[in-house]
């Protein structure tokens, strides 16, 4: 069972992810038709170009320009969050809006090795 801080942190993490990452140009990249695969591993899917076929496993799904655009948008939103994190009205609105997108998402896990590999938390609850 999560304590109040863990519950609040989980809600904040999901809100930041939904509003700073998911609701970006990533949505445009995600839209469109997803190929189907009879094998289930997409080894039977190929992209046809004027220069030949490309196996699905070798297709880049995002261009450098798209990645740059996506990262710029995410950095701007995360920066805005960091600059406004001490504003109660901003946080309340972020949590409210985040809940509309991420309310049904799985609860997050606290990663032991994130940023500081090999470092274990003293409190191993998640």
């Amino acid at each position: 069972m999560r304590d109040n801080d863990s519950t609040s942190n989980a809600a904040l993490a999901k809100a930041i992810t939904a509003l700073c990452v998911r609701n970006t140009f990533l949505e445009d990249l995600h839209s469109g038709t997803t190929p189907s695969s009879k094998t289930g591993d997409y080894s039977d899917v190929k992209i046809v170009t004027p220069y030949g076929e490309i196996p699905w496993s070798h297709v880049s799904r995002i261009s450098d320009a798209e990645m740059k655009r996506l990262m710029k948008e995410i950095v701007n939103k995360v920066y805005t969050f960091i600059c406004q994190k001490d504003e109660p009205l901003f946080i309340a609105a972020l949590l409210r809006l985040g809940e509309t997108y991420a309310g049904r998402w799985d609860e997050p896990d606290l990663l032991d090795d994130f940023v500081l590999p090999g470092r274990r938390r003293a409190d191993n609850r998640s």
Side-chain angles (χ1 to χ4, degrees), residues 25-44:
F25 176 60
L26 184 60
E27 286 290 341
D28 294 341
L29 296 172
H30 183 253
S31 67
T33 304
T34 302
S36 297
S37 171
K38 286 184 180 179
T39 63
D41 66 359
Y42 292 88
S43 62
D44 57 334

Side-chain angles (χ1 to χ4, degrees), residues 50-117:
Y51 305 103
E53 294 182 347
I54 305 170
W56 184 253
S57 61
H58 294 123
V59 173
S60 172
R61 292 166 187 85
I62 184 170
S63 70
D64 287 343
E66 290 168 329
M67 180 62 89
K68 181 178 181 178
R69 178 180 170 189
L70 177 62
M71 291 299 101
K72 178 72 173 163
E73 187 174 352
I74 292 170
V75 166
N76 289 344
K77 288 183 174 192
V78 170
Y79 176 72
T80 301
F81 166 77
I82 291 168
C83 290
Q84 295 188 24
K85 70 183 182 335
D86 295 324
E87 297 292 330
L89 290 175
F90 175 81
I91 295 300
L94 182 113
L95 288 169
R96 236 183 351 268
L97 189 55
E99 176 67 19
T100 65
Y101 292 102
R104 292 184 164 169
W105 290 4
D106 292 343
E107 290 302 306
D109 296 321
L110 188 58
L111 306 175
D112 288 330
D113 289 343
F114 181 64
V115 181
L116 297 171

Side-chain angles (χ1 to χ4, degrees), residues 9-23 81 91 93-99 101-103 105:
N9 288 342
L12 186 57
K14 290 193 284 186
I16 292 167
T17 301
L19 300 174
C20 296
V21 180
R22 169 118 185 163
N23 289 2
F81 166 77
I91 295 300
L94 182 113
L95 288 169
R96 236 183 351 268
L97 189 55
E99 176 67 19
Y101 292 102
W105 290 4

Side-chain angles (χ1 to χ4, degrees), residues 114-126:
F114 181 64
V115 181
L116 297 171
R119 185 169 180 183
R120 306 292 292 181
R121 289 177 286 124
D123 177 0
N124 273 334
R125 289 179 294 169
S126 38

